[in-house]
Amino acid sequence: MNILISNDDGVSAAGLGVMCDAVKGLGEITVVAPESEQSASSHAITIATPIRAARRPLDGGVCAYSVTGTPADCVKLAVREILGGKPDLVLSGVNLGSNTGISVMYSGTVSAAAEGAIMGIPGAAVSLATYENPFWETAAEAAKIIAATIIRQGLPPGVMLNVNVPNVPPAQIKGYAITKMGQSRFVEVFDRRVNPRGDVYYWLHGELTVLGEAAGTDIQALEQGYVSVTPLGIDRTRHDMLAHLEQWSWHE
Ligand code: MN
């Protein structure tokens, strides 16, 4: 069992080491992760600048490479150059911060696993719902269970699991909830600042606002203390709209 691990928080992130330790008993691990933080890089790839990869030993003797690119670059480079073929499983994370609702669209963590799904490799993205005081042992336990279950059950080509873990001690996890992607959006805030030379610049941040029915969503499962498991696909076609649009009259 060859397991490829990547992330979007960068090769130095604590959560990456947590993921490696969690699944090291399940197979041969190779880490290919971004050299710098790539959070919110979504499924970007690097085509206008060169990509460099360097060996970077991690704790526990894990074979690791840091890459001057995005999470999607890392998975592509791993398969085509570093591993020279497809691994059996792609894992991404453990990300610091949840990836529920609309965050799925922006997440580099999700996209590393999605790149695997595009290539027909089963995989999962694992995110821990906090930015401070992480209960890493809870995320580690969930990551191991998710990985072992995917290995046992398999996944169809083009499908990945988006996993979100509540930031509580392991004993407080209520179970595993199979969920759908919740409806939410960011209300953007641009923090306007002025540098010493008088130039205006901005920091983008925002508040996640939950919309729509909460029942059965990743957002609700997290709130209720369940590990949320959402199957995600690659095809974004709204199949329910196809017949409807066929009825339209297409003219000027
Ligand atoms: Mn991140």
Side-chain angles (χ1 to χ4, degrees), residues 124-162:
V126 181
S127 303
L128 182 60
T130 186
Y131 289 103
E132 50 195 19
N133 305 320
F135 284 99
W136 287 126
E137 63 272 38
T138 312
E141 203 168 287
K144 188 176 183 185
I145 287 171
I146 293 293
T149 305
I150 293 174
I151 291 166
R152 209 166 50 243
Q153 301 284 343
L155 279 174
V159 177
M160 57 158 289
L161 301 183
N162 183 36

PDB file of all heavy atoms in Angstrom, residues 124-162:
ATOM      1  N   ALA A 124      -8.771  11.137   0.571  1.00  0.00           N
ATOM      2  CA  ALA A 124      -9.556  11.936   1.504  1.00  0.00           C
ATOM      3  C   ALA A 124      -8.781  13.177   1.910  1.00  0.00           C
ATOM      4  O   ALA A 124      -7.547  13.161   1.985  1.00  0.00           O
ATOM      5  CB  ALA A 124      -9.901  11.121   2.745  1.00  0.00           C
ATOM      6  N   ALA A 125      -9.533  14.241   2.159  1.00  0.00           N
ATOM      7  CA  ALA A 125      -8.998  15.449   2.775  1.00  0.00           C
ATOM      8  C   ALA A 125      -9.495  15.474   4.211  1.00  0.00           C
ATOM      9  O   ALA A 125     -10.678  15.249   4.458  1.00  0.00           O
ATOM     10  CB  ALA A 125      -9.475  16.681   2.017  1.00  0.00           C
ATOM     11  N   VAL A 126      -8.588  15.741   5.148  1.00  0.00           N
ATOM     12  CA  VAL A 126      -8.965  15.749   6.567  1.00  0.00           C
ATOM     13  C   VAL A 126      -8.648  17.123   7.170  1.00  0.00           C
ATOM     14  O   VAL A 126      -7.505  17.604   7.067  1.00  0.00           O
ATOM     15  CB  VAL A 126      -8.225  14.645   7.355  1.00  0.00           C
ATOM     16  CG1 VAL A 126      -8.651  14.652   8.819  1.00  0.00           C
ATOM     17  CG2 VAL A 126      -8.482  13.276   6.724  1.00  0.00           C
ATOM     18  N   SER A 127      -9.661  17.741   7.763  1.00  0.00           N
ATOM     19  CA  SER A 127      -9.516  19.075   8.355  1.00  0.00           C
ATOM     20  C   SER A 127     -10.002  19.058   9.794  1.00  0.00           C
ATOM     21  O   SER A 127     -11.018  18.426  10.100  1.00  0.00           O
ATOM     22  CB  SER A 127     -10.337  20.093   7.561  1.00  0.00           C
ATOM     23  OG  SER A 127      -9.947  20.102   6.204  1.00  0.00           O
ATOM     24  N   LEU A 128      -9.279  19.773  10.649  1.00  0.00           N
ATOM     25  CA  LEU A 128      -9.645  19.880  12.063  1.00  0.00           C
ATOM     26  C   LEU A 128     -10.233  21.271  12.296  1.00  0.00           C
ATOM     27  O   LEU A 128      -9.628  22.283  11.922  1.00  0.00           O
ATOM     28  CB  LEU A 128      -8.410  19.651  12.936  1.00  0.00           C
ATOM     29  CG  LEU A 128      -8.605  19.676  14.452  1.00  0.00           C
ATOM     30  CD1 LEU A 128      -9.580  18.594  14.911  1.00  0.00           C
ATOM     31  CD2 LEU A 128      -7.266  19.486  15.165  1.00  0.00           C
ATOM     32  N   ALA A 129     -11.414  21.303  12.917  1.00  0.00           N
ATOM     33  CA  ALA A 129     -12.206  22.542  12.979  1.00  0.00           C
ATOM     34  C   ALA A 129     -11.727  23.498  14.070  1.00  0.00           C
ATOM     35  O   ALA A 129     -12.449  23.804  15.025  1.00  0.00           O
ATOM     36  CB  ALA A 129     -13.676  22.204  13.177  1.00  0.00           C
ATOM     37  N   THR A 130     -10.504  23.971  13.909  1.00  0.00           N
ATOM     38  CA  THR A 130      -9.988  24.997  14.824  1.00  0.00           C
ATOM     39  C   THR A 130      -8.767  25.661  14.212  1.00  0.00           C
ATOM     40  O   THR A 130      -8.134  25.098  13.319  1.00  0.00           O
ATOM     41  CB  THR A 130      -9.571  24.393  16.173  1.00  0.00           C
ATOM     42  OG1 THR A 130      -9.208  25.456  17.059  1.00  0.00           O
ATOM     43  CG2 THR A 130      -8.378  23.467  16.029  1.00  0.00           C
ATOM     44  N   TYR A 131      -8.459  26.863  14.687  1.00  0.00           N
ATOM     45  CA  TYR A 131      -7.191  27.499  14.327  1.00  0.00           C
ATOM     46  C   TYR A 131      -6.274  27.619  15.546  1.00  0.00           C
ATOM     47  O   TYR A 131      -5.149  28.073  15.436  1.00  0.00           O
ATOM     48  CB  TYR A 131      -7.434  28.881  13.703  1.00  0.00           C
ATOM     49  CG  TYR A 131      -8.046  28.784  12.328  1.00  0.00           C
ATOM     50  CD1 TYR A 131      -9.396  29.025  12.135  1.00  0.00           C
ATOM     51  CD2 TYR A 131      -7.271  28.416  11.232  1.00  0.00           C
ATOM     52  CE1 TYR A 131      -9.958  28.918  10.868  1.00  0.00           C
ATOM     53  CE2 TYR A 131      -7.816  28.299   9.966  1.00  0.00           C
ATOM     54  CZ  TYR A 131      -9.162  28.562   9.790  1.00  0.00           C
ATOM     55  OH  TYR A 131      -9.720  28.445   8.544  1.00  0.00           O
ATOM     56  N   GLU A 132      -6.797  27.263  16.714  1.00  0.00           N
ATOM     57  CA  GLU A 132      -5.952  27.331  17.911  1.00  0.00           C
ATOM     58  C   GLU A 132      -6.269  26.165  18.854  1.00  0.00           C
ATOM     59  O   GLU A 132      -7.347  25.584  18.800  1.00  0.00           O
ATOM     60  CB  GLU A 132      -6.149  28.662  18.638  1.00  0.00           C
ATOM     61  CG  GLU A 132      -7.600  28.995  18.884  1.00  0.00           C
ATOM     62  CD  GLU A 132      -7.800  30.453  19.274  1.00  0.00           C
ATOM     63  OE1 GLU A 132      -6.884  31.262  19.010  1.00  0.00           O
ATOM     64  OE2 GLU A 132      -8.855  30.776  19.832  1.00  0.00           O
ATOM     65  N   ASN A 133      -5.293  25.819  19.666  1.00  0.00           N
ATOM     66  CA  ASN A 133      -5.402  24.715  20.625  1.00  0.00           C
ATOM     67  C   ASN A 133      -5.966  23.433  20.002  1.00  0.00           C
ATOM     68  O   ASN A 133      -6.987  22.915  20.439  1.00  0.00           O
ATOM     69  CB  ASN A 133      -6.271  25.126  21.818  1.00  0.00           C
ATOM     70  CG  ASN A 133      -5.749  26.389  22.485  1.00  0.00           C
ATOM     71  OD1 ASN A 133      -4.536  26.551  22.631  1.00  0.00           O
ATOM     72  ND2 ASN A 133      -6.642  27.285  22.849  1.00  0.00           N
ATOM     73  N   PRO A 134      -5.294  22.929  18.951  1.00  0.00           N
ATOM     74  CA  PRO A 134      -5.833  21.747  18.264  1.00  0.00           C
ATOM     75  C   PRO A 134      -5.739  20.475  19.104  1.00  0.00           C
ATOM     76  O   PRO A 134      -4.718  20.238  19.752  1.00  0.00           O
ATOM     77  CB  PRO A 134      -4.946  21.636  17.022  1.00  0.00           C
ATOM     78  CG  PRO A 134      -3.671  22.324  17.383  1.00  0.00           C
ATOM     79  CD  PRO A 134      -4.039  23.422  18.323  1.00  0.00           C
ATOM     80  N   PHE A 135      -6.813  19.687  19.083  1.00  0.00           N
ATOM     81  CA  PHE A 135      -6.780  18.327  19.647  1.00  0.00           C
ATOM     82  C   PHE A 135      -6.300  17.405  18.528  1.00  0.00           C
ATOM     83  O   PHE A 135      -7.104  16.714  17.888  1.00  0.00           O
ATOM     84  CB  PHE A 135      -8.167  17.918  20.148  1.00  0.00           C
ATOM     85  CG  PHE A 135      -8.556  18.544  21.449  1.00  0.00           C
ATOM     86  CD1 PHE A 135      -9.383  19.648  21.481  1.00  0.00           C
ATOM     87  CD2 PHE A 135      -8.096  18.026  22.649  1.00  0.00           C
ATOM     88  CE1 PHE A 135      -9.739  20.237  22.680  1.00  0.00           C
ATOM     89  CE2 PHE A 135      -8.450  18.607  23.867  1.00  0.00           C
ATOM     90  CZ  PHE A 135      -9.276  19.720  23.884  1.00  0.00           C
ATOM     91  N   TRP A 136      -4.966  17.388  18.314  1.00  0.00           N
ATOM     92  CA  TRP A 136      -4.413  16.608  17.195  1.00  0.00           C
ATOM     93  C   TRP A 136      -4.733  15.129  17.331  1.00  0.00           C
ATOM     94  O   TRP A 136      -4.861  14.412  16.338  1.00  0.00           O
ATOM     95  CB  TRP A 136      -2.898  16.811  17.088  1.00  0.00           C
ATOM     96  CG  TRP A 136      -2.445  18.132  16.561  1.00  0.00           C
ATOM     97  CD1 TRP A 136      -1.576  19.001  17.149  1.00  0.00           C
ATOM     98  CD2 TRP A 136      -2.799  18.752  15.306  1.00  0.00           C
ATOM     99  NE1 TRP A 136      -1.379  20.107  16.359  1.00  0.00           N
ATOM    100  CE2 TRP A 136      -2.123  19.985  15.222  1.00  0.00           C
ATOM    101  CE3 TRP A 136      -3.643  18.374  14.256  1.00  0.00           C
ATOM    102  CZ2 TRP A 136      -2.242  20.842  14.129  1.00  0.00           C
ATOM    103  CZ3 TRP A 136      -3.764  19.228  13.172  1.00  0.00           C
ATOM    104  CH2 TRP A 136      -3.077  20.435  13.108  1.00  0.00           C
ATOM    105  N   GLU A 137      -4.807  14.628  18.573  1.00  0.00           N
ATOM    106  CA  GLU A 137      -5.042  13.184  18.730  1.00  0.00           C
ATOM    107  C   GLU A 137      -6.404  12.794  18.180  1.00  0.00           C
ATOM    108  O   GLU A 137      -6.591  11.685  17.679  1.00  0.00           O
ATOM    109  CB  GLU A 137      -4.864  12.732  20.186  1.00  0.00           C
ATOM    110  CG  GLU A 137      -5.835  13.350  21.198  1.00  0.00           C
ATOM    111  CD  GLU A 137      -5.362  14.680  21.779  1.00  0.00           C
ATOM    112  OE1 GLU A 137      -4.759  15.496  21.040  1.00  0.00           O
ATOM    113  OE2 GLU A 137      -5.605  14.910  22.981  1.00  0.00           O
ATOM    114  N   THR A 138      -7.370  13.717  18.241  1.00  0.00           N
ATOM    115  CA  THR A 138      -8.697  13.437  17.679  1.00  0.00           C
ATOM    116  C   THR A 138      -8.616  13.354  16.153  1.00  0.00           C
ATOM    117  O   THR A 138      -9.184  12.450  15.534  1.00  0.00           O
ATOM    118  CB  THR A 138      -9.690  14.548  18.079  1.00  0.00           C
ATOM    119  OG1 THR A 138      -9.573  14.773  19.480  1.00  0.00           O
ATOM    120  CG2 THR A 138     -11.109  14.174  17.726  1.00  0.00           C
ATOM    121  N   ALA A 139      -7.892  14.294  15.564  1.00  0.00           N
ATOM    122  CA  ALA A 139      -7.721  14.294  14.104  1.00  0.00           C
ATOM    123  C   ALA A 139      -6.962  13.055  13.648  1.00  0.00           C
ATOM    124  O   ALA A 139      -7.289  12.455  12.616  1.00  0.00           O
ATOM    125  CB  ALA A 139      -6.981  15.561  13.665  1.00  0.00           C
ATOM    126  N   ALA A 140      -5.949  12.658  14.424  1.00  0.00           N
ATOM    127  CA  ALA A 140      -5.144  11.489  14.071  1.00  0.00           C
ATOM    128  C   ALA A 140      -5.992  10.222  14.074  1.00  0.00           C
ATOM    129  O   ALA A 140      -5.909   9.395  13.159  1.00  0.00           O
ATOM    130  CB  ALA A 140      -3.968  11.342  15.046  1.00  0.00           C
ATOM    131  N   GLU A 141      -6.808  10.081  15.105  1.00  0.00           N
ATOM    132  CA  GLU A 141      -7.684   8.903  15.205  1.00  0.00           C
ATOM    133  C   GLU A 141      -8.642   8.858  14.014  1.00  0.00           C
ATOM    134  O   GLU A 141      -8.844   7.807  13.391  1.00  0.00           O
ATOM    135  CB  GLU A 141      -8.468   8.986  16.515  1.00  0.00           C
ATOM    136  CG  GLU A 141      -8.976   7.659  17.013  1.00  0.00           C
ATOM    137  CD  GLU A 141      -9.477   7.781  18.451  1.00  0.00           C
ATOM    138  OE1 GLU A 141      -8.622   7.907  19.363  1.00  0.00           O
ATOM    139  OE2 GLU A 141     -10.690   7.783  18.641  1.00  0.00           O
ATOM    140  N   ALA A 142      -9.232  10.004  13.694  1.00  0.00           N
ATOM    141  CA  ALA A 142     -10.178  10.063  12.563  1.00  0.00           C
ATOM    142  C   ALA A 142      -9.465   9.761  11.252  1.00  0.00           C
ATOM    143  O   ALA A 142      -9.981   9.006  10.416  1.00  0.00           O
ATOM    144  CB  ALA A 142     -10.833  11.440  12.505  1.00  0.00           C
ATOM    145  N   ALA A 143      -8.270  10.332  11.061  1.00  0.00           N
ATOM    146  CA  ALA A 143      -7.526  10.113   9.812  1.00  0.00           C
ATOM    147  C   ALA A 143      -7.217   8.637   9.615  1.00  0.00           C
ATOM    148  O   ALA A 143      -7.338   8.105   8.507  1.00  0.00           O
ATOM    149  CB  ALA A 143      -6.230  10.931   9.819  1.00  0.00           C
ATOM    150  N   LYS A 144      -6.830   7.962  10.712  1.00  0.00           N
ATOM    151  CA  LYS A 144      -6.499   6.538  10.615  1.00  0.00           C
ATOM    152  C   LYS A 144      -7.740   5.720  10.263  1.00  0.00           C
ATOM    153  O   LYS A 144      -7.693   4.817   9.423  1.00  0.00           O
ATOM    154  CB  LYS A 144      -5.892   6.056  11.938  1.00  0.00           C
ATOM    155  CG  LYS A 144      -5.349   4.648  11.862  1.00  0.00           C
ATOM    156  CD  LYS A 144      -4.666   4.241  13.152  1.00  0.00           C
ATOM    157  CE  LYS A 144      -4.069   2.853  13.012  1.00  0.00           C
ATOM    158  NZ  LYS A 144      -3.494   2.385  14.283  1.00  0.00           N
ATOM    159  N   ILE A 145      -8.851   6.038  10.899  1.00  0.00           N
ATOM    160  CA  ILE A 145     -10.105   5.321  10.636  1.00  0.00           C
ATOM    161  C   ILE A 145     -10.561   5.546   9.191  1.00  0.00           C
ATOM    162  O   ILE A 145     -10.960   4.607   8.493  1.00  0.00           O
ATOM    163  CB  ILE A 145     -11.193   5.750  11.648  1.00  0.00           C
ATOM    164  CG1 ILE A 145     -10.864   5.148  13.023  1.00  0.00           C
ATOM    165  CG2 ILE A 145     -12.595   5.345  11.184  1.00  0.00           C
ATOM    166  CD1 ILE A 145     -11.722   5.669  14.163  1.00  0.00           C
ATOM    167  N   ILE A 146     -10.484   6.794   8.736  1.00  0.00           N
ATOM    168  CA  ILE A 146     -10.898   7.118   7.368  1.00  0.00           C
ATOM    169  C   ILE A 146     -10.018   6.373   6.358  1.00  0.00           C
ATOM    170  O   ILE A 146     -10.512   5.745   5.412  1.00  0.00           O
ATOM    171  CB  ILE A 146     -10.826   8.646   7.128  1.00  0.00           C
ATOM    172  CG1 ILE A 146     -11.868   9.382   7.976  1.00  0.00           C
ATOM    173  CG2 ILE A 146     -10.948   8.992   5.645  1.00  0.00           C
ATOM    174  CD1 ILE A 146     -13.299   9.128   7.628  1.00  0.00           C
ATOM    175  N   ALA A 147      -8.694   6.430   6.564  1.00  0.00           N
ATOM    176  CA  ALA A 147      -7.768   5.778   5.625  1.00  0.00           C
ATOM    177  C   ALA A 147      -8.000   4.275   5.584  1.00  0.00           C
ATOM    178  O   ALA A 147      -8.089   3.675   4.508  1.00  0.00           O
ATOM    179  CB  ALA A 147      -6.327   6.104   6.009  1.00  0.00           C
ATOM    180  N   ALA A 148      -8.110   3.666   6.758  1.00  0.00           N
ATOM    181  CA  ALA A 148      -8.303   2.212   6.825  1.00  0.00           C
ATOM    182  C   ALA A 148      -9.624   1.811   6.164  1.00  0.00           C
ATOM    183  O   ALA A 148      -9.708   0.793   5.482  1.00  0.00           O
ATOM    184  CB  ALA A 148      -8.257   1.737   8.273  1.00  0.00           C
ATOM    185  N   THR A 149     -10.640   2.629   6.352  1.00  0.00           N
ATOM    186  CA  THR A 149     -11.955   2.312   5.785  1.00  0.00           C
ATOM    187  C   THR A 149     -11.948   2.441   4.265  1.00  0.00           C
ATOM    188  O   THR A 149     -12.525   1.597   3.564  1.00  0.00           O
ATOM    189  CB  THR A 149     -13.042   3.213   6.413  1.00  0.00           C
ATOM    190  OG1 THR A 149     -12.983   3.066   7.830  1.00  0.00           O
ATOM    191  CG2 THR A 149     -14.428   2.836   5.918  1.00  0.00           C
ATOM    192  N   ILE A 150     -11.277   3.478   3.743  1.00  0.00           N
ATOM    193  CA  ILE A 150     -11.177   3.615   2.286  1.00  0.00           C
ATOM    194  C   ILE A 150     -10.397   2.434   1.696  1.00  0.00           C
ATOM    195  O   ILE A 150     -10.792   1.870   0.672  1.00  0.00           O
ATOM    196  CB  ILE A 150     -10.502   4.951   1.893  1.00  0.00           C
ATOM    197  CG1 ILE A 150     -11.379   6.135   2.279  1.00  0.00           C
ATOM    198  CG2 ILE A 150     -10.219   4.984   0.388  1.00  0.00           C
ATOM    199  CD1 ILE A 150     -10.717   7.494   2.064  1.00  0.00           C
ATOM    200  N   ILE A 151      -9.303   2.046   2.359  1.00  0.00           N
ATOM    201  CA  ILE A 151      -8.510   0.910   1.867  1.00  0.00           C
ATOM    202  C   ILE A 151      -9.379  -0.350   1.819  1.00  0.00           C
ATOM    203  O   ILE A 151      -9.341  -1.119   0.864  1.00  0.00           O
ATOM    204  CB  ILE A 151      -7.252   0.687   2.754  1.00  0.00           C
ATOM    205  CG1 ILE A 151      -6.261   1.851   2.543  1.00  0.00           C
ATOM    206  CG2 ILE A 151      -6.599  -0.653   2.457  1.00  0.00           C
ATOM    207  CD1 ILE A 151      -5.150   1.924   3.582  1.00  0.00           C
ATOM    208  N   ARG A 152     -10.207  -0.529   2.844  1.00  0.00           N
ATOM    209  CA  ARG A 152     -11.072  -1.711   2.939  1.00  0.00           C
ATOM    210  C   ARG A 152     -12.207  -1.672   1.921  1.00  0.00           C
ATOM    211  O   ARG A 152     -12.516  -2.665   1.277  1.00  0.00           O
ATOM    212  CB  ARG A 152     -11.625  -1.784   4.367  1.00  0.00           C
ATOM    213  CG  ARG A 152     -11.938  -3.179   4.853  1.00  0.00           C
ATOM    214  CD  ARG A 152     -12.145  -3.223   6.354  1.00  0.00           C
ATOM    215  NE  ARG A 152     -13.073  -2.224   6.843  1.00  0.00           N
ATOM    216  CZ  ARG A 152     -12.757  -1.241   7.690  1.00  0.00           C
ATOM    217  NH1 ARG A 152     -11.524  -1.135   8.134  1.00  0.00           N
ATOM    218  NH2 ARG A 152     -13.664  -0.373   8.086  1.00  0.00           N
ATOM    219  N   GLN A 153     -12.838  -0.514   1.788  1.00  0.00           N
ATOM    220  CA  GLN A 153     -14.057  -0.402   0.979  1.00  0.00           C
ATOM    221  C   GLN A 153     -13.794   0.027  -0.467  1.00  0.00           C
ATOM    222  O   GLN A 153     -14.616  -0.235  -1.337  1.00  0.00           O
ATOM    223  CB  GLN A 153     -15.006   0.640   1.602  1.00  0.00           C
ATOM    224  CG  GLN A 153     -15.444   0.341   3.017  1.00  0.00           C
ATOM    225  CD  GLN A 153     -16.498  -0.761   3.070  1.00  0.00           C
ATOM    226  OE1 GLN A 153     -17.131  -1.088   2.087  1.00  0.00           O
ATOM    227  NE2 GLN A 153     -16.661  -1.356   4.232  1.00  0.00           N
ATOM    228  N   GLY A 154     -12.717   0.735  -0.703  1.00  0.00           N
ATOM    229  CA  GLY A 154     -12.463   1.310  -2.024  1.00  0.00           C
ATOM    230  C   GLY A 154     -13.381   2.487  -2.292  1.00  0.00           C
ATOM    231  O   GLY A 154     -14.331   2.738  -1.542  1.00  0.00           O
ATOM    232  N   LEU A 155     -13.086   3.248  -3.343  1.00  0.00           N
ATOM    233  CA  LEU A 155     -13.939   4.355  -3.773  1.00  0.00           C
ATOM    234  C   LEU A 155     -13.996   4.307  -5.292  1.00  0.00           C
ATOM    235  O   LEU A 155     -12.992   3.992  -5.937  1.00  0.00           O
ATOM    236  CB  LEU A 155     -13.361   5.712  -3.342  1.00  0.00           C
ATOM    237  CG  LEU A 155     -13.585   6.191  -1.905  1.00  0.00           C
ATOM    238  CD1 LEU A 155     -12.796   7.472  -1.669  1.00  0.00           C
ATOM    239  CD2 LEU A 155     -15.065   6.404  -1.618  1.00  0.00           C
ATOM    240  N   PRO A 156     -15.140   4.647  -5.879  1.00  0.00           N
ATOM    241  CA  PRO A 156     -15.200   4.690  -7.352  1.00  0.00           C
ATOM    242  C   PRO A 156     -14.293   5.798  -7.882  1.00  0.00           C
ATOM    243  O   PRO A 156     -14.042   6.780  -7.174  1.00  0.00           O
ATOM    244  CB  PRO A 156     -16.672   5.033  -7.643  1.00  0.00           C
ATOM    245  CG  PRO A 156     -17.403   4.861  -6.364  1.00  0.00           C
ATOM    246  CD  PRO A 156     -16.416   5.021  -5.261  1.00  0.00           C
ATOM    247  N   PRO A 157     -13.800   5.678  -9.138  1.00  0.00           N
ATOM    248  CA  PRO A 157     -12.986   6.744  -9.725  1.00  0.00           C
ATOM    249  C   PRO A 157     -13.742   8.069  -9.704  1.00  0.00           C
ATOM    250  O   PRO A 157     -14.944   8.111  -9.932  1.00  0.00           O
ATOM    251  CB  PRO A 157     -12.766   6.285 -11.169  1.00  0.00           C
ATOM    252  CG  PRO A 157     -13.003   4.821 -11.160  1.00  0.00           C
ATOM    253  CD  PRO A 157     -13.994   4.558 -10.074  1.00  0.00           C
ATOM    254  N   GLY A 158     -13.034   9.144  -9.387  1.00  0.00           N
ATOM    255  CA  GLY A 158     -13.664  10.462  -9.404  1.00  0.00           C
ATOM    256  C   GLY A 158     -14.372  10.827  -8.119  1.00  0.00           C
ATOM    257  O   GLY A 158     -15.023  11.867  -8.052  1.00  0.00           O
ATOM    258  N   VAL A 159     -14.241   9.998  -7.106  1.00  0.00           N
ATOM    259  CA  VAL A 159     -14.886  10.287  -5.816  1.00  0.00           C
ATOM    260  C   VAL A 159     -13.816  10.398  -4.738  1.00  0.00           C
ATOM    261  O   VAL A 159     -12.887   9.599  -4.684  1.00  0.00           O
ATOM    262  CB  VAL A 159     -15.897   9.189  -5.414  1.00  0.00           C
ATOM    263  CG1 VAL A 159     -16.489   9.477  -4.039  1.00  0.00           C
ATOM    264  CG2 VAL A 159     -16.989   9.071  -6.467  1.00  0.00           C
ATOM    265  N   MET A 160     -13.943  11.405  -3.888  1.00  0.00           N
ATOM    266  CA  MET A 160     -13.072  11.561  -2.721  1.00  0.00           C
ATOM    267  C   MET A 160     -13.932  11.865  -1.494  1.00  0.00           C
ATOM    268  O   MET A 160     -15.113  12.207  -1.637  1.00  0.00           O
ATOM    269  CB  MET A 160     -12.082  12.707  -2.927  1.00  0.00           C
ATOM    270  CG  MET A 160     -12.768  14.025  -3.227  1.00  0.00           C
ATOM    271  SD  MET A 160     -11.780  15.489  -2.864  1.00  0.00           S
ATOM    272  CE  MET A 160     -11.754  15.525  -1.078  1.00  0.00           C
ATOM    273  N   LEU A 161     -13.330  11.707  -0.331  1.00  0.00           N
ATOM    274  CA  LEU A 161     -14.053  11.998   0.904  1.00  0.00           C
ATOM    275  C   LEU A 161     -13.507  13.288   1.518  1.00  0.00           C
ATOM    276  O   LEU A 161     -12.296  13.429   1.708  1.00  0.00           O
ATOM    277  CB  LEU A 161     -13.926  10.846   1.909  1.00  0.00           C
ATOM    278  CG  LEU A 161     -14.445   9.484   1.431  1.00  0.00           C
ATOM    279  CD1 LEU A 161     -14.327   8.458   2.556  1.00  0.00           C
ATOM    280  CD2 LEU A 161     -15.877   9.562   0.918  1.00  0.00           C
ATOM    281  N   ASN A 162     -14.407  14.204   1.818  1.00  0.00           N
ATOM    282  CA  ASN A 162     -14.033  15.421   2.527  1.00  0.00           C
ATOM    283  C   ASN A 162     -14.416  15.241   3.996  1.00  0.00           C
ATOM    284  O   ASN A 162     -15.591  15.173   4.337  1.00  0.00           O
ATOM    285  CB  ASN A 162     -14.747  16.634   1.939  1.00  0.00           C
ATOM    286  CG  ASN A 162     -14.316  17.915   2.622  1.00  0.00           C
ATOM    287  OD1 ASN A 162     -13.158  18.070   2.996  1.00  0.00           O
ATOM    288  ND2 ASN A 162     -15.242  18.832   2.786  1.00  0.00           N
TER     289      ASN A 162
END
